[in-house]
Amino acid sequence: MKLIAAALVLAAGPALADCPPPAQMQDAARAWMDGERLPDPGVATVEDAACAYAPFRAALESEMGAPVGWKVGFTSKPAQERFGVTAPVAGALFAPMILQDGAEVSLTGSRSPFYEADLIVTVRDAAINEATSREQVAAALSDVRPFIELPDMALAEGVKPTGPIMASYGVIPWRGVIGQGVAMTDLADPVADLAALTVDLKAEGAEPVQGKGEMLLGHPLDVVLWLIGHGGARLEPGQVISLGSLSPLVEARPGVTVTADYQVGGKPMTVTARLVD
């Protein structure tokens, strides 16, 4: 997919005040792919972050190909409060970032990795771009899938992870493990069933935690509606959308197996990731 200059960040409002030089952001992207930490881009607003992210994403795309989907972050109130924002932020997902159920995820090359329960939906029909209701969104999706996301909080030492800084780097996706899902057509009422979705996240040495679908902007499908209205890109069939955190971030350590068990419309979904050196 061709790059969209505005990038996937909160809808732009006032004129940009401080957009970092494109070369600076491209150099940061290349260094990040080589295992280095990300510097403070020098942005103070999400509008500036949109400008910063465009060349950063362009450098990633030159190495990893066109995006296969989108990550939407800050979709829960606790996350928004933690990072000082009042609305979601989005960034591109690339094929090398997504692994299959049961994968061994090497933490080599990460800097400050974490894991969390997330949720994926897959676009079935380009009509989703005209959707204005939850029902229309559900009708244009093919399935819902379990997802353990492993973000890497790879900021340089001393850089505080604010919303604008995170947005400048597309919410810093790194790896994620995706499992087999449930088709939307197999749900009796996709809108109600997704609202009632639950997940239990379990790992050795950590307390199990439970998440609910309502944690994602009040309803998982509202995240897609936000992306359609504010994301800045046209969604294409086959693309995936990571809808956000259904659990707290937990520090990722090698030697741990993480399992997320979901229930949606009375149907189970499970995904497992094995964290290794």
Side-chain angles (χ1 to χ4, degrees):
M1 176 185 292
K2 194 171 181 64
L3 273 174
I4 295 178
L8 280 183
V9 184
L10 191 65
L16 300 176
D18 289 300
C19 184
Q24 171 187 320
M25 298 304 297
Q26 292 169 345
D27 288 346
R30 297 185 189 101
W32 177 77
M33 287 186 282
D34 287 339
E36 297 183 23
R37 289 182 172 270
L38 294 165
D40 187 340
V43 298
T45 69
V46 290
E47 290 79 27
D48 295 339
C51 181
Y53 180 53
F56 182 84
R57 182 183 138 191
L60 297 184
E61 186 163 342
S62 68
E63 294 294 326
M64 292 189 279
V68 297
W70 316 103
K71 170 184 174 178
V72 186
F74 310 151
T75 55
S76 69
K77 283 297 181 184
Q80 290 179 8
E81 291 170 358
R82 177 182 177 186
F83 292 100
V85 295
T86 58
V89 168
L93 290 175
F94 298 91
M97 296 176 173
I98 300 178
L99 307 174
Q100 297 302 309
D101 185 24
E104 287 191 347
V105 183
S106 173
L107 300 181
T108 299
S110 63
R111 286 122 297 201
S112 298
F114 291 80
Y115 65 81
E116 63 183 4
D118 202 310
L119 191 67
I120 287 271
V121 290
T122 309
V123 177
R124 179 186 63 81
D125 191 326
I128 197 169
N129 293 285
E130 282 70 53
T132 58
S133 69
R134 295 170 180 173
E135 290 76 12
Q136 290 171 342
V137 170
L141 296 173
S142 61
D143 59 23
V144 55
R145 303 182 69 178
F147 190 52
I148 296 172
E149 194 199 350
L150 289 104
D152 186 4
M153 301 292 285
L155 298 176
E157 297 296 335
V159 177
K160 181 182 178 181
T162 66
I165 290 175
M166 295 287 286
S168 296
Y169 296 123
V171 214
I172 320 183
W174 180 64
R175 296 288 184 272
V177 179
I178 193 169
Q180 292 297 312
V182 173
M184 288 292 173
T185 53
D186 288 340
L187 297 175
D189 185 338
V191 174
D193 291 340
L194 284 170
L197 176 144
T198 62
V199 58
D200 290 290
L201 182 69
K202 293 169 278 189
E204 302 99 323
E207 288 292 324
V209 295
Q210 185 177 76
K212 298 181 179 180
E214 64 187 16
M215 295 170 64
L216 304 173
L217 286 188
H219 194 290
L221 296 177
D222 288 353
V223 179
V224 184
L225 285 170
W226 176 87
L227 185 60
I228 294 166
H230 300 90
R234 182 172 178 83
L235 303 178
E236 301 291 346
Q239 289 183 337
V240 298
I241 306 168
S242 165
L243 300 181
S245 304
L246 287 167
S247 73
L249 283 171
V250 181
E251 185 177 356
R253 299 181 181 275
V256 173
T257 297
V258 184
T259 300
D261 295 315
Y262 298 70
Q263 286 287 332
V264 56
K267 301 180 185 299
M269 305 188 299
T270 299
V271 62
T272 298
R274 293 181 290 160
L275 311 183
V276 300
D277 287 320

